[in-house]
Amino acid sequence: IWNGTEYTTTGEYTYSHQDANGCTQVDTLHLTINNPVHTAVTESACGSYIWNGTEYTTSGEYTYSHLDDNGCTQVDTLHLTVNSPVHTAVTESACGSYIWNGTEYTTSGDYTFSHWDANGCTQVDTLHLTIFHSDNSEFSETACELFTWEGTTYTQSGDYTQTFINANGCDSVVTLHLTINNPMHTAVSETACGSYIWNGTEYTTSGNYTYNHQDANGCTQVDTLHLTINLAQSAQFAVTTTDSCYTWNAETYCESGDYTQNFIAANGCDSTVTLHLTITVGIDNHNDFAFNLYPNPTNGIVNVQCTMYNVQVEAMEYHVFDAYGKLVGVVETRCTTSLQAGEHGLSEKTAQIDLSGFANGVYLVKAVADGNVVAVRKVVKR
């Protein structure tokens, strides 16, 4: 962007303007626009993939932002497919020996078999094998909260034995090495304004909520949320004043209308308060008075025209205030009629206020008749 204009292509551009002496000055911009090259690659991997130092474990589209040779931001895109092999597990028992995938096993235990799956990834299958002999045998199990073995339910980790005559006629005493994992059920209490998001779900009312998920041991963990939702509040009040302006929380309003301000309520939520403001200004015991400012906006001189009907004013002043409420000027004039008591008539008078020596901005002009503020007008100096 140069002198308020946005350029998107390389080239030479000129800008004409007046210098301090009022002469036409022409500036030239020699511009080179560098457009970065955004590359895209497609990859597939087993389990995970490392790209630009980051490891990705799920399929998706990923971006990488970096500076190219021209110092521009280049955004590269990776279209990634992560293939996760299915690891199967089987539990078998036999008397003496068991053949699995061409290998004969004669002792109880957990065995694995690695091979390529359809995606070319390494699949590892597991065999949980129990070999029964005329002597003792053993096996291990891991379960969540409880484990049932031959009609008996176990709820604690430990070693357990049972005596069997298996289907092959092998007598044996079998020992179970059991690990029971008990998931931890957590509870949290939260307070929020309007709504609260917990584990991807938005809640808008107070209450108790639960979330089920698997823990590190593969057991179902149930978490509880005790939630309190506080709502935003609103209030309103009305003010009628005979002053020319009204100040509310450091904000000054000089026209009738509805105004709002935001606060933090006692419950920590946003609170909106509305002020219905009525400003009344007038001349006591006078029938009619008005004054206008023109031109408005102005670059210096502003004309003030007052119009009175059946009004007798001895002294008229126009007080000029800046946006900070500081009195910056007073113009005295007479806006009177030669009416006698009981007569009717119209009087108009024009005065001038010189704002050429003041900074640009918004100014308030108050008409003061015989010491009373009778009207307020706004003027813009440019």
Side-chain angles (χ1 to χ4, degrees):
I1 296 176
W2 183 53
N3 293 308
T5 301
E6 182 178 8
Y7 301 91
T8 61
T9 57
T10 301
E12 294 186 358
Y13 303 93
T14 59
Y15 172 70
S16 299
H17 60 98
Q18 285 191 337
D19 62 12
N21 298 315
C23 298
T24 299
Q25 177 178 331
V26 180
D27 300 333
T28 301
L29 169 66
H30 304 284
L31 178 63
T32 300
I33 296 294
N34 295 313
N35 293 308
V37 177
H38 304 292
T39 62
V41 294
T42 301
E43 296 289 345
S44 62
C46 298
S48 65
Y49 183 77
I50 296 177
W51 184 53
N52 291 309
T54 300
E55 183 177 10
Y56 301 92
T57 58
T58 57
S59 299
E61 294 188 357
Y62 303 94
T63 59
Y64 173 69
S65 299
H66 61 96
L67 295 178
D68 63 10
D69 294 339
N70 295 313
C72 298
T73 299
Q74 176 178 333
V75 181
D76 299 333
T77 301
L78 170 64
H79 306 284
L80 180 61
T81 300
V82 174
N83 296 310
S84 298
V86 177
H87 304 292
T88 62
V90 294
T91 301
E92 297 290 346
S93 62
C95 185
S97 66
Y98 183 78
I99 296 176
W100 183 53
N101 291 309
T103 300
E104 182 178 12
Y105 302 92
T106 59
T107 56
S108 298
D110 295 333
Y111 301 95
T112 58
F113 176 69
S114 300
H115 59 97
W116 300 109
D117 63 10
N119 296 314
C121 298
T122 300
Q123 176 177 332
V124 180
D125 298 333
T126 302
L127 168 65
H128 303 289
L129 179 61
T130 301
I131 296 295
F132 294 101
H133 302 282
S134 57
D135 52 3
N136 298 335
S137 63
E138 60 185 13
F139 71 103
S140 299
E141 288 290 345
T142 300
C144 298
E145 296 185 307
L146 58 87
F147 181 76
T148 300
W149 179 39
E150 294 297 327
T152 302
T153 299
Y154 303 93
T155 59
Q156 295 182 344
S157 298
D159 296 334
Y160 303 94
T161 61
Q162 292 192 26
T163 301
F164 301 94
I165 297 177
N166 61 26
N168 296 315
C170 300
D171 293 336
S172 64
V173 176
V174 181
T175 300
L176 166 65
H177 304 289
L178 180 62
T179 300
I180 295 294
N181 293 315
N182 293 304
M184 179 181 298
H185 305 293
T186 62
V188 293
S189 297
E190 294 291 345
T191 301
C193 295
S195 66
Y196 184 78
I197 296 177
W198 184 52
N199 292 307
T201 300
E202 183 177 12
Y203 301 92
T204 58
T205 56
S206 299
N208 297 323
Y209 302 95
T210 58
Y211 174 68
N212 296 344
H213 61 99
Q214 285 193 335
D215 62 12
N217 296 314
C219 299
T220 299
Q221 176 177 332
V222 180
D223 298 332
T224 302
L225 168 65
H226 305 288
L227 179 62
T228 301
I229 294 294
N230 293 320
L231 301 178
Q233 301 178 0
S234 62
Q236 57 182 342
F237 68 102
V239 171
T240 300
T241 179
T242 57
D243 294 333
S244 58
C245 296
Y246 180 77
T247 299
W248 176 37
N249 288 321
E251 293 289 338
T252 300
Y253 307 98
C254 297
E255 295 181 359
S256 297
D258 295 334
Y259 303 94
T260 60
Q261 293 188 16
N262 293 324
F263 304 89
I264 301 299
N267 61 10
C269 298
D270 290 338
S271 172
T272 300
V273 181
T274 300
L275 163 67
H276 305 289
L277 178 63
T278 302
I279 295 179
T280 60
V281 254
I283 305 178
D284 294 338
N285 302 322
H286 288 173
N287 294 326
D288 197 6
F289 176 85
F291 84 99
N292 298 312
L293 305 177
Y294 65 92
N296 189 5
T298 180
N299 58 10
I301 299 298
V302 60
N303 297 301
V304 184
Q305 182 180 33
C306 72
T307 302
M308 294 185 296
Y309 184 74
N310 295 338
V311 178
Q312 187 71 26
V313 177
E314 295 299 329
M316 174 67 71
E317 294 179 342
Y318 298 104
H319 295 185
V320 182
F321 295 84
D322 63 15
Y324 300 98
K326 179 182 177 181
L327 180 65
V328 296
V330 177
V331 175
E332 297 183 1
T333 184
R334 293 184 62 81
C335 186
T336 66
T337 70
S338 57
L339 299 177
Q340 301 300 318
E343 294 182 337
H344 300 279
L346 176 68
S347 174
E348 293 185 349
K349 183 70 174 181
T350 301
Q352 288 187 335
I353 299 175
D354 187 3
L355 297 179
S356 58
F358 297 105
N360 292 345
V362 177
Y363 295 86
L364 292 180
V365 178
K366 295 184 180 180
V368 181
D370 294 338
N372 296 315
V373 176
V374 296
V376 179
R377 296 291 184 270
K378 182 187 297 183
V379 64
V380 179
K381 164 69 186 311
R382 291 181 177 174

